[in-house]
Amino acid sequence: MFKAQIYQMGLMAHIYYSGYMAENEELDEKAMEKLEKDFKENVYNIASSERCALHGIYKMASLGISPDKPGKILKYFRQIQIEEIRRKLSYIEHLSWTAYMLTSGVLPIDVEKMDSYAYKRESELNKEGEMKFNDWKEKKAGVITRHPLLVSSSYQRGLPKKSWSMFSKKERESLDELDKVSYAIYLWYKKNKTRFCQEFMDAMDALNKVIGQMTDLKRKEEIQILQKELEVTGKKCIDEMCEETFAQDRKNIMKCNTLLDNMKSRVREDTLLSEGKSSQKDIESRKRDLADSIEQNIENVQHILRPVFDSYKDRDFKQADENLIWASLDLLG
């Protein structure tokens, strides 16, 4: 029972850290399932998030609040209303996470090296037989080996709360290491935005060509409608990314994921090709080959959109740590 409770606390921490902190954010069942799937299949997500959840107890104790006495949540809530206390607890959260990572064998890596590993395919497959990928952290066999956020921090908050696009060089030079890394990660995504757009449009062209081989006109039209909607919505997601910090509409991201899922499900249905005069065996073989080809192209589009959909691309990581201070009310309640 205790283990199940810690797991649930860890899952909640993972959801908060994934950016679902807004008061008016609606987390539907499908999004919740995806978050839990991402959480369960990654040992780092589970261990790091459970550490974060349990560390809430120590944060509370550091303020002189006993976790074993009644009234602890109200006392903690009143304390974290004070900005200076929240900043100190956020700093402690980063120290706790850093200690956990370093003692787990993870090493620091400079953001400037992201080009060499970010979003690259790995040769190994995950439990479901799908290809493993890096993200903005360096991984080997799905395990994080080097992490750009393993840097020092401070109580001070230096990043603007809204737009980062007009942040001056002089202002950037005054930042501490964690704020500098947050901003450098944002710049990496911004710098690569044009490339993401071109790769997306090229992948959509390739997908359109292979869909064009379908001879069942009704099914072909259904998939092409989904494809056109995906192209418009995906382009909108790319246009929005890194223009104004936190301005990307999550609903468009969720819509793209739904469209991709719907296309995949249609591909595996039986009527990709009209039967014509070919033998049944020949038709089945051609159906499988065409379905595989379309599915591979859809997966390629999904892979190209991964950095576009990544919620860490414009993240103030000190603010993320502060969000976890508020989240402790949920995790400990």
Side-chain angles (χ1 to χ4, degrees), residues 188-230:
W188 183 86
Y189 285 95
K190 189 173 178 66
K191 176 190 77 172
N192 285 283
K193 180 175 171 176
T194 303
R195 174 171 68 85
F196 299 151
C197 186
Q198 188 58 58
E199 288 177 353
F200 173 67
M201 297 308 292
D202 290 346
M204 292 304 290
D205 285 343
L207 178 59
N208 185 48
K209 285 177 184 175
V210 75
I211 289 171
Q213 297 174 30
M214 293 172 57
T215 57
D216 184 308
L217 298 182
K218 183 179 178 182
R219 181 55 49 81
K220 181 178 179 178
E221 185 180 7
E222 288 174 1
I223 295 179
Q224 283 177 330
I225 289 169
L226 293 173
Q227 184 208 355
K228 286 174 184 175
E229 197 171 356
L230 173 63

Side-chain angles (χ1 to χ4, degrees), residues 149-167:
L149 294 181
L150 286 170
V151 294
S152 61
S153 183
S154 70
Y155 299 152
Q156 271 59 49
R157 297 288 295 276
L159 290 169
K161 287 198 172 180
K162 291 190 177 177
S163 175
W164 292 359
S165 57
M166 302 301 289
F167 203 37

Side-chain angles (χ1 to χ4, degrees), residues 100-113:
Y100 160 75
M101 294 296 282
L102 292 173
T103 55
S104 299
V106 182
L107 299 173
I109 187 169
D110 197 302
V111 177
E112 292 180 2
K113 295 183 178 177

Side-chain angles (χ1 to χ4, degrees), residues 40-55:
K40 284 196 297 188
E41 69 181 20
N42 191 315
V43 173
Y44 164 74
N45 284 342
I46 295 172
S48 178
S49 297
E50 289 183 348
R51 172 214 58 82
C52 171
L54 291 171
H55 195 255

